[in-house]
Amino acid sequence: MTPALRTARYLTAAAGALTASAAYLGTVITWWAVLPCLYVAAVIAWCASCEYAVHRRTLTAHERARRAALLEELDTAGPCCRLYDLSGGYAHRDCARPPDGLAELYTACCAEAFVSRGARHDATCPTRTTRSNAA
């Protein structure tokens, strides 16, 4: 809850109380007493609507800042797939793919190990650590 929303709620309650008191004054005393109460109630209601607008603007600014920070965080990771590019970063946020499609190839010790997922290696491969295909 922003301070503007709290103020708007108080002003709305005050405008309602003034309207009720104007109705009471109109029935008990005279209709001339109604005019100042209704005028003040209208001014307070206008002030309340302005405070509600400030509240909405504050929430919108916070949401835009949050989205900008999220997009900045996602942009530092780089696009993971075509869906990420087409949606502007909104879809595929939790994609498990590496940002670079060839990243796994770059970390592989040889081409045969890349193709077989570490089960086989070339004769010229320096590591030759065989990995099970179960993993």
Side-chain angles (χ1 to χ4, degrees):
M1 175 184 288
T2 62
L5 180 62
R6 188 177 303 115
T7 304
R9 287 181 179 173
Y10 288 142
L11 289 173
T12 302
L18 278 170
T19 304
S21 64
Y24 174 75
L25 289 174
T27 57
V28 174
I29 299 179
T30 181
W31 66 274
W32 285 101
V34 173
L35 294 177
C37 286
L38 287 181
Y39 177 76
V40 172
V43 169
I44 290 177
W46 176 76
C47 292
S49 69
C50 291
E51 289 295 319
Y52 280 121
V54 168
H55 169 70
R56 286 190 301 271
R57 279 194 300 268
T58 303
L59 290 182
T60 303
H62 283 259
E63 181 65 19
R64 285 182 181 163
R66 186 190 67 81
R67 285 185 180 181
L70 180 65
L71 285 177
E72 182 177 302
E73 179 182 309
L74 289 174
D75 286 342
T76 58
C80 58
C81 58
R82 187 75 177 139
L83 181 60
Y84 177 91
D85 288 336
L86 293 175
S87 67
Y90 287 105
H92 238 243
R93 288 185 184 146
D94 299 326
C95 184
R97 295 185 205 177
D100 184 9
L102 299 175
E104 190 177 356
L105 178 61
Y106 297 146
T107 60
C109 55
C110 62
E112 186 64 29
F114 173 73
V115 172
S116 67
R117 300 275 184 194
R120 293 185 311 268
H121 293 274
D122 288 340
T124 60
C125 181
T127 60
R128 288 198 181 200
T129 52
T130 304
R131 190 178 84 174
S132 169
N133 278 340

